[in-house]
């Protein structure tokens, strides 16, 4: 198993290609199917309560994976249908499309599943997924407060980033908003440990106001090793 | 198949004109109908022989009517009194009206004097039908065979008519051959008429 | 290298009624194909439930790493799906065509029992022709 | 004189015809031919159709029996060569029996042609023969024997062949001894035939005396001495040759003198008026021609055509010159005949053309010779017609049908202008015959009917007879023929639906479907037959006609008409001898309804030598399995087999229908079985108008073999007829196809019924027959739920054959309710002799009523006693397969090789289960009976020992309420069952528990608790203590612990959850299985209560408490100093605790788990009010030593004591309680305590202990 | 003047499936019977004649006394038979022939229509009252 510990990554945001790109929801699951994060931006239809919904989604991905692994025409011998596979093992899939939405999916070697539900016309989102994953690693995994396997509550920043990602897209679809300079000061107040990559993020995203509220998180000293818990 | 009646509603069948309305019915409509016919009959029988018989009877009823109608419509009230005449009538006139085309071929049996064969590369009724293996040599052309028999029998040429699959080399689909074996009285009469 | 690996037809209750394998690598035995079929059936249903917008009719295209899966569902719930090489085009048309063949040579065949496995010579023949044509088109590209 | 003779002859011919009717046509045909030998008929016979020959018979009949004034000009079956045939009258002389006369005449008939070559010996040429070119070697004389003779015709001069040239008398000597009188009679008879040249009287089989004096009776009398056939033949032949020769000579004479003599030949056509001068002249002129013609005729008769031709040609010349058309035509005719005689050998087209040409002119000239003035008297028309007929007969071939038809049509046109009725008759008959020859049956029938109508114009029985018979000939063409005229096999086999053209029937096959034919005609014909038959006084024919009419056409006949027919039937039946059979059935319509299957007591099952367990797989109703697509006939599959047993009566249901408007009395109806191994019992039925009735016809098979039932024999309307089922089936089939007007059963309102085919029935030799009844009370066995009861079924062999094999099996629902069957009881009784009886014990256990039938049973339970309980399908059936000896001795040998089948006796044990003691609910009660400090401990301790050493001293009671050795208190858990008793009897419920430790050593160590009595309509609770099931030690083995302790192991946790459940269930199950609740009802019936699932539900929740001990058990005790304690042992007295006294005590804490527990122990004391009297403000108890928060570790399975002292200030009841908080408990404890979260502390509390503190005052 | 005429339709197996007395003469039972007998007899002639020509209308193929039988043989060998008095024929011989002929043809059409009715079983009786009235109308028109 490989570690994503290194903080030297310089995530560059993918240039969202397809215009008219509209995100509906985003899920993040860990390997045990615990929904670490669920966000939705535009979901008029809601059939089940959120818990059910997550379960369903995870189940869907799980079995679709085994399906694809089984169907994989390239490999000669395939495991039995239904036996859970290690992440990265077997042929996986990266997206499917219905007439109403497109679901993009990526699974990290550590079994983190990131799901993006967008407009069916959305283009290939593998890059963005990877980017989100990077963000996850940076700001969740490395977040001392975060106890693995629990829903991501504390880490506003990361979520905020990923949010921004789509905000950005959405904005690109509408009109550019002028960047408030107020954000800068906000950032400079930050705890030294976070400033560095935050700058990176600033590079990545223009940040609007009202976001630094989320930074009133008191950091505690003791470390948590998120990376090996998964 | 036979032209369906006008849209106009008549109080009574007898008022409808017999004019040669060239109406045609949709092929799939017919195909579904025929399929149902076969399926229904399948429920009524317990071996293939009976099934063929039933289909043949169904066809026979068509044949009876077609004969009268066509002789009136197409042939201007002339009867066919000779063997070849009636055969060509079936081969051309009847086929044309029923299946929109003249039958592919009409041959005389080589070994037997009283056998004639009408062959069709792809019989209309068989177009969508693939007979399962376990039914052996069953052929839904039995229906058409029945039609032919109906025509011949009522025109006074009693005959045994059967439909067979005949494999054609170079094609994976066998063609359907309708074998007509006339009763000896017919041949005797032919001989008498000279 | 063939454009199409395999073709499945699932009846409205998720039973596999037709399966044909065109790909070279990785044969799969009937049980697996049956299970795959029913699995796909349920996945298809779930994907409809998960739709953010109403009026979802299930997965149409599944892009896996090594193949694409195009699925077409008829109004009666019969599902046709082909497993093809990634990025193969005009599979929708092919599926529609197969659907036509199905209505012609299966539904109109008096000896076919609804929802039962398809064993119709004519269907096979025409199907293979269609696939052949498609392949030719593919190679032509 | 001649009158009588001829009528006699007519009778004879009549008999001939009639006989011809019963024989097949062909036979009678040749007879007739032989009789009136003429060649044309023979041809006719050869090329077709019997129908045609009949008219000829008739004709003779008609002519000879002079029904009409003998003015007939036309003659029957004339052909071209008629004019070359010599007529000889054959007369009966003296008294002679009909059939003898017939025989002799028949012998004559064979000699209708005499070769010239054969008569040379008798021929002596007196002078130069006029027949110069007589073909002596090839030629021949032809004869025609006119039986009974005929009056001289006025046209003899015109056509010499009409003359009767010879008379042959036939007399039978024994019946007319006096030869002289014979001779006289003969002479008298011959007077009538002036034209006869030769007369002979053949006297057959004369006596010796007659022989003696016969010879001098002159040459006219010829005696045929009795001899064998051949010699007589030869004799007759020589006689005939003699006659021929003499005739020939006479002809020569005649011709010679005719050439010389100048007689004027006249015909009725010539004016009979006194010869006026020009008439005479004309006659004179014509004389020669006519003479020539006549001579020509004689030449023909003499068999020399060439001469004839010569004469005719001259005659033709002369006649043309003299304009004598009539004779011209005659000569022309003769010429043709001569031509044919000359070249008759081969008929080539040239000659045919010639003949056609000439005959047309013949016809033409006959027509020319029509004379107006005497048209009303005579006319040549008849000759014209005759000529036409001759030509037609000559041409009569299929190929020339067209011309023949034209000829005949024109001939038919001529009919109405014929003067003479008999001529018309003959004409029609001839036309009919010719059409028949042509194969035009309907035409033939048409003209035959014309003939019949002509007959019917006479009010005359003979005419009526003829009419009837002519009509009978037409029936085939009109398809109304009587069954009698159809060959039997046709009746049996041919009738039947043949789906030849599109599933429709071939009509000619369906005899019974008259109305599907041309009903109008058929009815008319039948009516005419009926009429003529009545007139002719032939009751049988009348009956059959009426029957056919009524049966086939009732829908077309008005009710009055139907009544008329019915009376006609009855009338004609009166004139028939009783028991007459008629081939044609009348009413009612009989169709096969069904074959009632054997009552289940006597099912018959095939057994084969191979399998010993032949009964296996022969279920009462096995599904009929067939391969859906097997090419092959499905006929046999549709036809089911049926097996009858000799001597056991069987029934067949048939349905009768009377669609007519009158009451139908069927005197008797019974099955007609042609294989004679069945005797049927007749019954009689009356059917009201338009009604149908299903009756059951019974009978007894008498012999082994197949039975074939084609139909029923019905005795109705005074005649016995056979009604075939097939006919009616066809009729119904036709009705279904709209071919038949009406369906007799439908119009009688009877339901539509699919035609049941007669199964092929086989009769097997007599078999044993078991009958069974349940001993005591044949009705239903009434049981309460779960009741167990024995009952006895007695089986008796009512058959005539011993039972040698028998096998009992169960079928139907609730088979498990039969606990045991006494097979051996039956086995031992084998072989069961006829009449022997054996009783089989069967043990039943009533099943539980489902909720569904619970209520309806409850509703019924009131009425159950009163009415016989309905045998519902839920009760099981006892199947006894049994069979007789393998080889049946005494039965017919051919059935020895075939193994006689076995049988099956089905005895339904109709059990009626009443709702018994019903189970309301079960729940778990847990209670604690507090213990007293100090008192328990001892017997607690040996309670421990008591457990594994089961000594008799302790009685059930305190074994039942067993004390947990480790906890002082009597902590008990009870399973409480609430039972209600809705019935009206008293139940006693007893609970019994079997211990597992008991079940280890001796399986039956279970003890039951005092019985609980539940009165009617009461509910009661039964307690079942569960203490026994506690395990001694609490360890991890029972609880499945999830080894990996990480809380977030989602799935794995769920897995372990799962099989923990399974474990629990299993343990509960075996726990429950140890509890048995038996009940005992007043009426010595006992049963068991079914409580498993209920108790399971009850125990589900707290099974752990039931099964597992607490991890820690606490107990208190007083401590004295050691010695007291010793002596305290043997005197187990409760040392009272005194107030105001320091009482040392100790608490014992025992660790029931397998690993040590560290805990903090604390003790409290409460008073009666429950106030804590250790802590608190007004503490009534002072203490020394630690009472709370002391940390102790208890090693596994050991106990520690902690001693302390209490000082009670106030006497009274106190309660001591010990409790402990277990630090870092392990999995087991946590699981036991059902603590979900890992970190919450586990609190253990001991049972309360009472301490009585006495005051000191 | 009165004309008697009997018209029948005979099925292939020589069973009348329709009969009508279409003469103006007063109906007489036995006369009708006689007509039918004649027709029945005429079948023999027809069955031979029908094969010699392919024409459907065979005029005056048979006669008895003064009754003439004309036949119209359809393709299915259904016979429309017809009996009339010669007298009537004699009166207006010239155009009555084709009168009968066109009568036959029209009835033939009617018959075909009847036949095309799926509920009509070929070879069974024609019971349609419309048919009857129409036939009689035609008879009045042409004869």
């Amino acid at each position: 198993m490989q570690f994503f510990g290194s903080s030297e990554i310089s995530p560059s945001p993918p240039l969202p290609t397809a215009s008219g790109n509209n995100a509906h929801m985003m899920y993040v699951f860990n390997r045990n199917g615990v929904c670490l994060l669920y966000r939705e931006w535009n979901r008029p239809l809601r059939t089940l309560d959120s818990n059910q919904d997550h379960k369903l989604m995870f189940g869907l991905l799980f079995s679709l994976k085994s399906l694809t692994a089984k169907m994989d025409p390239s490999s000669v011998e395939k495991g039995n249908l239904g036996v859970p596979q290690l992440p990265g093992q077997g042929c996986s899939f990266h997206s499917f499309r219905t007439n109403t939405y497109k679901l993009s999916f990526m699974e990290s070697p550590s079994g983190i599943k990131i799901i993006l539900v967008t407009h069916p016309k959305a283009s290939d989102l593998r890059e963005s997924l990877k980017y989100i994953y990077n963000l996850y690693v940076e700001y969740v995994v490395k977040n001392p407060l975060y106890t693995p396997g629990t829903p991501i509550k504390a880490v506003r920043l990361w979520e905020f980033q990923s949010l921004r990602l789509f905000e950005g897209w959405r904005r690109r679809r509408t009109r550019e908003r002028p960047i408030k300079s107020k954000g800068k000061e906000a950032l400079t107040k930050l705890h030294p440990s976070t400033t560095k990559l935050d700058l990176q993020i600033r590079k990545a995203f223009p940040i609007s106001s009202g976001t630094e509220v989320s930074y009133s998180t008191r950091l505690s000293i003791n470390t948590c090793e998120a990376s090996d818990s998964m | 198949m036979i032209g369906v009646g006008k849209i106009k509603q008549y109080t009574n069948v007898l008022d409808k004109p017999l004019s040669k309305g060239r109406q045609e019915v949709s092929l799939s409509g017919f195909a579904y109908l025929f399929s149902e016919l076969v399926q229904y009959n399948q429920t009524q029988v317990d071996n293939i022989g009976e099934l063929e018989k039933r289909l043949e009877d169904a066809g026979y009823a068509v044949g009876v009517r077609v004969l009268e109608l066509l002789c009136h419509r197409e042939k201007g009230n002339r009867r066919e009194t000779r063997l070849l005449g009636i055969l060509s009538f079936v081969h051309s006139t009847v086929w044309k009206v029923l299946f929109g085309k003249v039958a592919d071929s009409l041959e005389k049996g080589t070994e037997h004097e009283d056998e004639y064969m009408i062959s069709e590369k792809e019989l209309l009724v068989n177009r969508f039908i693939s007979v399962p293996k376990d039914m052996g040599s069953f052929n839904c052309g039995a229906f058409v065979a029945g039609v032919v028999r109906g025509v011949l029998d009522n025109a006074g040429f009693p005959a045994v008519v059967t439909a067979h699959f005949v494999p054609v080399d170079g094609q994976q689909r066998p063609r359907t051959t309708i074998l007509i074996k006339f009763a000896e009285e017919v041949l005797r009469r032919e001989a008498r008429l000279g | 290298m063939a454009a199409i690996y395999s073709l499945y037809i699932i009846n409205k209750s998720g039973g596999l009624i037709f399966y044909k394998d065109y790909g070279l690598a990785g044969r799969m035995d009937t049980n697996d194909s049956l299970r795959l079929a029913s699995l796909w059936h349920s996945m298809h249903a779930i994907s409809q439930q998960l739709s953010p917008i109403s009026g979802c009719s299930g997965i149409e295209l599944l892009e896996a790493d090594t193949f694409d899966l195009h699925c077409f569902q008829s109004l009666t719930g019969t599902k046709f799906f082909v497993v093809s090489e990634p990025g193969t085009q005009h599979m929708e048309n092919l599926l529609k065509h197969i659907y036509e063949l199905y209505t012609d040579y299966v539904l109109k065949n008096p000896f076919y029992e609804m929802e039962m496995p398809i064993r119709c010579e004519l269907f096979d023949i025409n199907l293979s022709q269609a696939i052949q044509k498609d392949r030719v088109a593919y190679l032509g590209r | 004189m001649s009158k009588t003779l001829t009528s006699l002859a007519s009778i004879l011919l009549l008999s001939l015809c009639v006989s011809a009717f019963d024989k097949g046509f062909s036979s009678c045909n040749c007879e007739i031919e032989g009789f009136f030998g003429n060649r044309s008929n023979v041809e006719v016979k050869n090329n077709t159709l019997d129908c045609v020959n009949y008219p000829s018979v008739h004709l003779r009949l008609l002519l000879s029996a002079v029904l009409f004034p003998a003015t007939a000009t036309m003659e029957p079956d004339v052909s071209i060569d008629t004019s070359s045939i010599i007529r000889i009258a054959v007369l009966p002389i003296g008294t002679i029996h009909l059939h003898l006369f017939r025989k002799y005449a028949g012998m004559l008939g064979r000699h209708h042609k005499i070769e010239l070559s054969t008569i040379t010996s008798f021929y002596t040429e007196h002078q130069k023969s006029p027949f110069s070119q007589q073909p002596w070697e090839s030629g021949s004389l032809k004869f025609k024997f006119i039986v009974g003779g005929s009056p001289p015709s006025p046209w003899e001069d015109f056509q010499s062949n009409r003359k009767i040239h010879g008379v042959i008398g036939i007399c039978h000597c024994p019946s007319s001894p006096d030869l002289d009188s014979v001779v006289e009679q003969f002479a008298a008879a011959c007077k009538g035939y002036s034209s006869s040249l030769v007369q002979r009287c053949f006297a057959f089989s004369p006596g010796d005396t007659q022989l003696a004096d016969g010879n001098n009776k002159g040459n006219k009398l010829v005696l045929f001495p009795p001899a064998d056939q051949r010699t007589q033949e030869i004799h007759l032949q020589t006689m005939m040759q003699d006659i021929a020769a003499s005739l020939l000579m006479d002809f020569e004479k005649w011709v010679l003198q005719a050439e010389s003599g100048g007689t004027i030949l006249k015909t009725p056509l010539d004016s009979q008026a006194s010869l006026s001068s020009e008439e005479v002249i004309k006659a004179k002129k014509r004389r020669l021609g006519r003479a020539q013609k006549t001579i020509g005729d004689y030449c023909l008769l003499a068999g020399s055509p060439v001469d004839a031709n010569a004469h005719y040609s001259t005659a033709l010349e002369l006649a043309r010159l003299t304009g004598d058309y009539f004779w011209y035509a005659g000569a022309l005719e003769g010429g043709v005949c001569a031509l044919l005689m000359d070249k008759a050998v081969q008929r080539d087209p040239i000659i045919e053309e010639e003949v056609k040409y000439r005959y047309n002119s013949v016809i033409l000239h006959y027509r020319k010779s029509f004379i107006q003035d005497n048209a009303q008297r005579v006319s040549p028309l008849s000759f014209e017609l005759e000529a036409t007929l001759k030509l037609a007969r000559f041409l009569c071939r299929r190929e020339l049908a067209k011309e023949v038809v034209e000829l005949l049509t024109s001939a038919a046109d001529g009919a109405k202008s014929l003067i003479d009725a008999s001529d018309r008759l003959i004409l029609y008959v001839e036309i009919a015959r010719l059409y028949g020859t042509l194969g035009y049956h309907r035409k033939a029938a048409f003209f035959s009917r014309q003939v019949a109508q002509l007959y019917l114009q006479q009010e005359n029985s003979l005419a009526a007879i003829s009419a009837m018979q002519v009509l009978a000939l037409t029936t085939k063409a009109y398809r109304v023929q009587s069954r009698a005229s159809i060959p039997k096999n046709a009746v049996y086999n041919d009738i039947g639906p043949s789906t030849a053209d599109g599933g429709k029937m071939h009509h000619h096959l369906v005899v019974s479907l008259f109305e599907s034919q041309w009903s109008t005609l058929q009815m008319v014909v039948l009516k005419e037959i009926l009429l003529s038959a009545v007139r002719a006084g032939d009751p049988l024919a009348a009956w059959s006609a009426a029957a056919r009419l009524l049966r086939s056409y009732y829908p077309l006949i008005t009710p009055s008409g139907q009544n008329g027919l019915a009376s006609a039937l009855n009338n004609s039946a009166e004139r028939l001898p009783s028991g007459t059979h008629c081939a044609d059935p009348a009413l009612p319509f009989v169709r096969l309804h069904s074959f009632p299957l054997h009552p289940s007591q006597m099912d018959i099952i095939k057994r084969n030598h191979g399998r010993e367990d032949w009964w296996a797989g022969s279920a009462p109703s096995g599904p009929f399995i067939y391969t859906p697509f097997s090419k092959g006939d499905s006929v046999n599959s549709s036809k089911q087999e049926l097996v009858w047993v000799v001597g056991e009566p069987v029934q067949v249901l048939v349905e009768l229908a009377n669609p007519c408007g009158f009451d139908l009395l069927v005197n008797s109806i019974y099955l007609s079985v042609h294989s004679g191994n069945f005797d049927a019992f007749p019954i009689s039925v009356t059917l009201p108008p338009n009604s149908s009735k299903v009756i059951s016809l019974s009978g007894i098979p008498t012999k082994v073999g197949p039975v074939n039932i084609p139909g029923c024999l019905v005795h109705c309307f005074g005649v016995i007829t056979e009604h075939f089922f097939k006919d009616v089936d066809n009729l119904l089939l036709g009705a279904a196809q709209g071919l038949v007007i009406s369906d007799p059963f439908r119009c009688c309102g009877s339901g539509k019924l699919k035609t049941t085919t007669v199964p092929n029935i086989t009769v097997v030799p007599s078999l044993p027959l078991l009958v069974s009844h349940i001993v005591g009370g044949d009705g239903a066995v009434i049981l309460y739920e779960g009741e167990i009861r024995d009952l006895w079924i007695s089986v008796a062999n009512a058959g005539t054959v011993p039972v040698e094999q028998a096998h009992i099996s169960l079928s139907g629902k609730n088979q498990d309710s039969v606990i045991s069957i006494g097979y051996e009881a039956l086995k031992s009784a084998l072989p069961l002799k006829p009449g022997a009886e054996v009783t089989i014990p069967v043990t039943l256990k009533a099943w539980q009523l489902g909720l569904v039938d619970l209520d309806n049973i409850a509703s019924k339970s009131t009425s159950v006693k009163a009415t016989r309980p309905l045998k519902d399908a839920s009760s099981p059936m006892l199947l006894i397969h049994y069979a007789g000896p393998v080889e049946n001795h005494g039965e017919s040998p051919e059935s020895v090789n075939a193994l006689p089948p076995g049988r099956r006796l089905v005895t339904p044990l109709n059990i009626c289960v009443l709702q018994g003691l019903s189970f309301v609910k079960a729940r778990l009660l847990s209670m604690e009976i507090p213990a007293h400090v100090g008192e328990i401990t001892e017997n607690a301790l040996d309670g421990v020992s008591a457990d594994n050493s089961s000594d008799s001293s302790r009685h059930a009671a305190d074994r039942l309420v067993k004390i947990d050795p480790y906890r002082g208190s009597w902590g008990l858990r009870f399973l409480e069952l609430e039972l209600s008793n809705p019935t009206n009897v008293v139940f006693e419920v007893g609970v019994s528990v079997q211990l597992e430790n008991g079940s280890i050593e001796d399986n039956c160590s279970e003890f039951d608790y005092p019985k609980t009595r539940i009165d009617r309509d009461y509910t009661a609770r039964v307690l079942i203590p569960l203490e026994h099931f506690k395990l001694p030690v609490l360890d991890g083995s029972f609880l499945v612990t999830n080894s990996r302790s990480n809380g977030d192991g989602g799935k794995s946790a769920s897995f372990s959850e799962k099989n923990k459940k399974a474990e629990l269930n299993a343990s509960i199950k075996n726990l429950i299985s140890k509890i048995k609740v038996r009940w005992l009802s007043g009426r010595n019936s006992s049963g068991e209560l079914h409580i498993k699932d209920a108790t399971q539900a009850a125990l589900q929740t707290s099974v752990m408490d039931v099964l597992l001990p607490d991890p820690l058990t606490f107990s208190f005790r007083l401590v004295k100093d050691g010695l007291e304690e010793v002596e305290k042992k043997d005197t187990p007295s409760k040392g009272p605790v005194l107030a105001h006294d320091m009482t040392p005590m100790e608490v014992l804490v025992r660790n029931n788990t397998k690993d040590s527990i560290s805990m903090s122990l604390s003790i409290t004391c409460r008073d009666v009010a429950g106030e804590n009297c250790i802590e608190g403000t007004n503490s009534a108890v002072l203490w020394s030593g630690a009472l709370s928060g002391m940390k102790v570790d208890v090693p596994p399975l050991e106990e520690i004591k902690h001693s302390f002292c209490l000082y009670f200030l106030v006497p009274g009841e106190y309660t001591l309680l010990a409790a402990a908080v277990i630090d870092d408990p392990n999995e087991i404890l946590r699981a036991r305590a059902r603590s979900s979260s890992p970190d919450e502390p586990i609190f253990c509390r001991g049972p309360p202990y009472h301490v009585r503190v006495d005051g000191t005052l | 003047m009165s004309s008697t005429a009997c018209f029948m339709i005979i099925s292939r197996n020589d069973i009348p499936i329709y009969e009508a007395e279409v003469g103006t003469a007063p109906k007489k039972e036995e006369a009708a019977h006689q007509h039918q007998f004649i027709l029945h007899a005429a079948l023999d002639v027809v069955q031979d004649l029908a094969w010699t020509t392919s024409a459907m209308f065979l005029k005056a193929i048979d006669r008895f006394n003064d009754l003439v039988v004309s036949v119209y043989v359809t393709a299915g060998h259904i016979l429309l038979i017809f009996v009339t008095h010669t007298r009537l024929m004699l009166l207006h011989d010239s155009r009555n022939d084709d009168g009968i002929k066109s009568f036959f043809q029209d009835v033939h059409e009617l018959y075909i229509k009847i036949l095309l009715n799926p509920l009509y079983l070929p070879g069974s009786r024609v019971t349609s009252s419309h048919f009857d009235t129409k036939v009689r109308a035609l008879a009045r028109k042409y004869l």
Side-chain angles (χ1 to χ4, degrees), chain D residues 913-979:
Chain D
V913 176
L914 299 185
Q915 180 185 14
L917 200 57
S918 76
F919 173 85
V920 180
K921 68 172 181 292
R923 63 181 170 167
L924 192 74
L925 303 177
S926 61
M927 58 180 72
E928 283 185 341
I929 307 170
H932 279 277
V933 176
E935 97 188 34
I936 313 95
T937 53
E938 298 81 3
N939 55 9
L941 288 176
D942 53 18
V944 184
S945 62
D947 254 348
N948 34 28
S949 73
S950 61
D951 61 335
S952 60
S953 72
R954 51 183 71 253
H955 45 79
D958 69 338
R959 281 193 59 175
L960 140 70
V961 200
K962 183 166 135 300
I963 299 167
D964 184 337
Y966 312 116
R967 340 179 20 167
S969 80
W970 305 25
L972 297 178
R973 285 207 167 65
F974 291 100
L975 177 64
E976 182 199 66
L977 303 178
E978 183 169 355
L979 306 174

Side-chain angles (χ1 to χ4, degrees), chain D residues 599-611:
Chain D
S600 61
Q601 266 60 26
M602 33 175 64
D603 286 345
I604 291 180
I605 292 153
K606 292 225 181 306
R607 59 173 176 168
N608 48 1
H609 288 284
R611 296 178 49 218

Side-chain angles (χ1 to χ4, degrees), chain B residues 42 45-53 57 60-61 134-135 137-138 149 153 192, chain D residues 398-399 499-504 624 626-635 637:
Chain B
Q42 230 171 325
V45 305
D46 53 8
N47 62 24
I48 292 191
E50 284 182 38
L51 182 54
E52 268 174 346
K53 182 99 211 71
D57 293 348
Y60 187 93
D134 58 1
M135 293 179 69
S137 68
F138 174 77
R149 194 169 70 85
D153 197 3
R192 202 169 70 240
Chain D
R398 206 80 175 80
E399 305 78 48
T499 59
D501 44 4
K504 318 294 179 299
F624 172 60
Y626 62 85
T627 56
F629 290 109
S630 64
K631 278 241 184 212
D633 54 342
S634 64
V635 184
S637 69

Side-chain angles (χ1 to χ4, degrees), chain D residues 1154-1193:
Chain D
K1154 282 222 171 66
D1155 41 12
S1156 68
I1157 300 174
S1158 66
M1159 59 180 177
S1160 61
L1161 177 70
S1162 56
I1163 303 166
T1164 57
C1165 174
R1166 299 210 150 96
D1167 61 6
V1168 187
E1171 292 293 327
N1172 187 341
C1173 34
I1174 295 176
E1175 296 167 359
T1177 57
N1178 51 352
S1179 56
V1181 180
L1182 308 179
W1183 77 93
S1184 72
L1187 283 193
S1188 66
M1190 52 218 136
K1191 286 218 176 293
V1192 285
D1193 283 6

